[in-house]
Amino acid sequence: LQSLKQLLAGPPPQVGQVVAVAGNLATIELPGGAQIKARGSAMVGQHVFEQGGQILGEAPALPIDIIEV
């Protein structure tokens, strides 16, 4: 149970497109249009994975559909 809690702890990873970079801080636009800031290495136009304010790495540039329930 403790291992499961550790895996589920913290914010979920998100994917978005980098719209601005200033030093080590990137502005990422999420699929719904919201923008967040995250630390890490990225270039404008790149798709990245983000979690807890950190860029985890490059994400594939695949189309994303938003479905509201």
Side-chain angles (χ1 to χ4, degrees):
L1 182 61
Q2 189 69 314
S3 297
L4 179 60
K5 285 182 181 180
Q6 289 176 344
L7 287 174
L8 299 176
Q14 302 182 83
V15 65
Q17 184 174 13
V18 177
V19 294
V21 175
N24 197 32
L25 188 66
T27 302
I28 302 168
E29 186 171 315
L30 302 176
Q35 292 187 350
I36 58 173
K37 305 250 187 226
R39 297 198 179 283
S41 178
M43 298 183 305
V44 172
Q46 185 177 26
H47 289 79
V48 294
F49 290 111
E50 177 277 339
Q51 184 176 27
Q54 295 290 322
I55 294 174
L56 302 176
E58 190 171 355
L62 300 173
I64 297 174
D65 291 326
I66 298 174
I67 301 171
E68 293 191 32
V69 179

